[in-house]
Amino acid sequence: MECREERASRVNFGLQELAVRLRSNIARVIVDKEAVIDLLLVALLSDGHVLLEDVPGVGKTLLAKALARSLNLSFQRIQGTPDLLPGDLTGIFYFDQRSSTFVFRPGPLFSHVVLVDEINRATPRAQAALLEAMAERQITIERETRPLPRPYLVLATQNPVELEGTFPLPEAQLDRFLMRLPLGYPSEEAELALLQRFREAEPLEELEPVADAEAILRAQREIRRLYWQPEVERYLLTLVRATRNHPAISLGVSPRGTLALQRASAAYAAIHGRDYVLPDDIKRLAPVVLAHRLMLTTRGRLRHQDAEQVLQEILENTAVPVETPDLTALSRRSARSERP
């Protein structure tokens, strides 16, 4: 019978090399955001979507375009406005006078990477047009279901400061996003490098692909083969279930959130050269994967708590499994395999 170590060793360590190439290529355009790029790659390899929540002008659109170009994937940008209609996203049937038939014109959702800018400025009706695409990778129009290209990544942005005239995303739609990420302002040194880099050229226009769609699809399959020690998997489950019983939380993490954290943790371990998941991977991903899925009670809000603070409290109060000989052996073998 195949032992656990042999089963884990079959995982392709080329995943780390793929992540290094993509990270380096995107960093030619996006300065001082290596951690954000890593999380974006985690979402892509986990077959999930990302909600970028930050003020305008910090590089959200540029990040999406750089990712698409690095993978030679099709890219479309949608601007969220109150007059946006579902057909503007999904596509429409129009009457072709030459053939005297109705012809389908695909909308921008039929692309590999879709950026929905200021999603909270679109009406709930337009926002709802994204649900089937994000969850099932398909769009149904006039009772006809059409598949979307793979890999498929929706990046949505929203400004957390200016909320006048916006339509907050409902909990069901927030739950469709694998993670919510802030970008933040760059450091002084990084902003100086940004000025110098963009002074004489546009790095995005010079960006060349370093991988393709098939490489991402292959990586998504490989991630499912990572080894999960039972104690680590139980730790993930304990964290999730704690959100459903916490007195400051009225709506805890759903089973979809449990699966999202599992996939994201595996992807994070893979891009860092491991074929097994550690508790630290789960702790690193939990804030960005789980926080936006939580709804606080009135009592929690009156105490000026937010979801991130409550989740951090849960992380601190949940016992972390100790390293066992089985996991120690995997750590040593992985370290040997990474040596030149």
Side-chain angles (χ1 to χ4, degrees), residues 239-308:
L239 283 176
V240 170
R241 296 186 67 84
T243 67
R244 302 169 190 169
N245 302 313
H246 196 281
I249 298 175
S250 61
L251 179 66
V253 176
S254 66
R256 183 190 289 123
T258 308
L259 294 172
L261 183 57
Q262 182 191 50
R263 294 196 309 270
S265 301
Y268 188 80
I271 68 173
H272 288 86
R274 283 180 280 106
D275 51 13
Y276 58 93
V277 180
L278 291 173
D280 285 346
D281 300 326
I282 299 171
K283 293 178 70 174
R284 172 67 182 88
L285 272 297
V288 294
V289 174
L290 302 184
H292 65 284
R293 305 173 193 271
L294 303 179
M295 181 183 293
L296 298 187
T297 62
T298 303
R299 181 180 179 184
R301 292 193 298 270
L302 289 175
R303 291 184 175 183
H304 302 290
Q305 290 180 305
D306 56 31
E308 287 78 7

Side-chain angles (χ1 to χ4, degrees), residues 210-241:
V210 295
D212 55 17
E214 183 55 39
I216 297 301
L217 294 175
R218 188 166 54 248
Q220 290 177 349
R221 293 191 295 267
E222 290 290 336
I223 285 171
R224 294 181 177 273
R225 300 165 60 187
L226 261 68
Y227 173 62
W228 280 83
Q229 194 181 30
E231 291 81 359
V232 176
E233 201 163 37
R234 177 64 64 177
Y235 171 67
L236 183 152
L237 191 60
T238 301
L239 283 176
V240 170
R241 296 186 67 84

Side-chain angles (χ1 to χ4, degrees), residues 74-85:
S74 57
F75 172 83
Q76 287 289 331
R77 179 181 179 274
I78 302 166
Q79 180 62 49
T81 56
D83 61 347
L84 191 69
L85 297 176

Side-chain angles (χ1 to χ4, degrees), residues 7 9 14 18 80 112 115 134 206 229 242 255 281 297 303 337:
R7 188 163 60 249
S9 67
L18 172 65
H112 289 99
L115 174 68
M134 294 174 66
E206 302 171 358
Q229 194 181 30
D281 300 326
T297 62
R303 291 184 175 183
S337 66

Side-chain angles (χ1 to χ4, degrees), residues 87 90-107 110 141-142 144 146:
T90 60
I92 59 171
F93 280 93
Y94 70 96
F95 185 73
D96 186 358
Q97 293 183 347
R98 294 180 181 178
S99 61
S100 296
T101 58
F102 283 93
V103 179
F104 179 68
R105 178 183 294 161
F110 285 87
I141 303 174
E142 298 292 335
E144 182 178 346
R146 298 170 183 269

